[in-house]
Amino acid sequence: MKKRAGESRSRSDKKIDVKPTLSINLKDNLYTFAYLCDEPVKDVAEKLCIVGATSKVIIDSMSKWFRRNYVYRNVFVVGHPEQPKLKVNYPKETGKVTIRFKREDYDLISDLSHALDITPTATAGILIKMTLNSMEFIQQYAQEHLMHLSPERKKRIDLFLNQLWKTNHEGKVL
Amino acid sequence: MKLFGLSLIDATGIAVVSTYLVIVVGSAISGKGDKSNIIFSVVGKMVKGAVNAADKTIHNYIEEKDDEMLDKARRVRKTGVGRKVKEVEKNNDYEIFM
């Protein structure tokens, strides 16, 4: 497409905004986790989505919802088009988080959303929920991304996540 | 044939007269105007009320039946096979609560 005179060219590596809707509790938990990790919320959310979309733990737990095939890291997950579409239910009180994905990361999320037959935005929300709720995933994530933190901060993260999982285990809504 | 110790003709006569008196006296107490007009308006109101009541009853009945039929159709459509109506069990496996 030709650009008009005076119109600036957009960057070739321009990031794409995704604003998933989360419950207020989940949003609070994400903000707390980001604060404890000493990183901006958008960065933590982005990492959780990207790592979650290529994590065996997360994909295995999501594979029951796949209506189309999904490929990640040389793994092929078969989807079943005849099964019902995943329905995402939101509570009354919700909030949004802004995440900015690079083009290749957005394509990865789009592939996953295509497999799930939902929007990339909803997929990002689901990934945040599932990653924060998965003890196994967070253990792997911590080993890769949180090892540089001080022991005290690690202990605080551990306490926060244990409390979060305990609350979820008791059947309360995250 | 006797009603309350009166013959049929007497009883009918008394009933007609008493109804007339009730309508006239009642309408005279409640409103103004010519007697014949008052009788017509009172009778009209009574008929209108009866028609409205009947209409409401029929409407409720139809709505109730409609809901039943819709519910039945929905269940049949979902279960599908052999025209058997079964309760549709909600499957939470394909739902996620954020």
Side-chain angles (χ1 to χ4, degrees), chain B residues 34-73:
Chain B
D34 189 26
K35 273 184 189 174
S36 59
N37 285 342
I38 289 163
I39 291 166
F40 278 127
S41 71
V42 170
V43 172
K45 276 179 188 172
M46 283 166 72
V47 171
K48 209 175 172 183
V51 168
N52 277 342
D55 186 43
K56 207 175 175 182
T57 315
I58 290 167
H59 191 72
N60 285 344
Y61 178 77
I62 290 169
E63 266 191 359
E64 206 175 283
K65 279 283 162 195
D66 259 5
D67 285 347
E68 260 178 44
M69 291 297 285
L70 268 176
D71 192 35
K72 199 176 168 183

Side-chain angles (χ1 to χ4, degrees), chain A residues 23 65 87 89 125 129, chain B residues 93-98:
Chain A
S23 68
W65 299 323
K87 193 179 170 192
N89 292 319
K129 182 190 164 68
Chain B
D93 289 348
Y94 298 100
E95 278 187 54
I96 185 164
F97 294 89
M98 295 299 285

Side-chain angles (χ1 to χ4, degrees), chain A residues 88-128:
Chain A
V88 187
N89 292 319
Y90 295 100
K92 281 180 185 171
E93 290 184 343
T94 54
K96 279 184 185 290
V97 184
T98 303
I99 311 171
R100 305 189 74 218
F101 287 113
K102 286 176 197 160
R103 168 52 68 183
E104 60 266 27
D105 297 334
Y106 183 76
D107 289 345
L108 179 74
I109 302 292
S110 294
D111 285 348
L112 183 59
S113 68
H114 181 69
L116 288 166
D117 203 9
I118 53 174
T119 60
T121 311
T123 310
I126 291 169
L127 278 171
I128 291 170

Side-chain angles (χ1 to χ4, degrees), chain B residues 7-19:
Chain B
S7 70
L8 191 61
I9 296 164
D10 291 341
T12 312
I14 289 168
V16 169
V17 171
S18 58
T19 310

Side-chain angles (χ1 to χ4, degrees), chain A residues 2 25 49 59-61 70 89 98-99 101 117 159:
Chain A
K2 276 189 177 179
N25 286 332
C49 288
I59 298 302
D60 279 355
S61 56
Y70 178 62
N89 292 319
T98 303
I99 311 171
F101 287 113
D117 203 9
L159 278 172

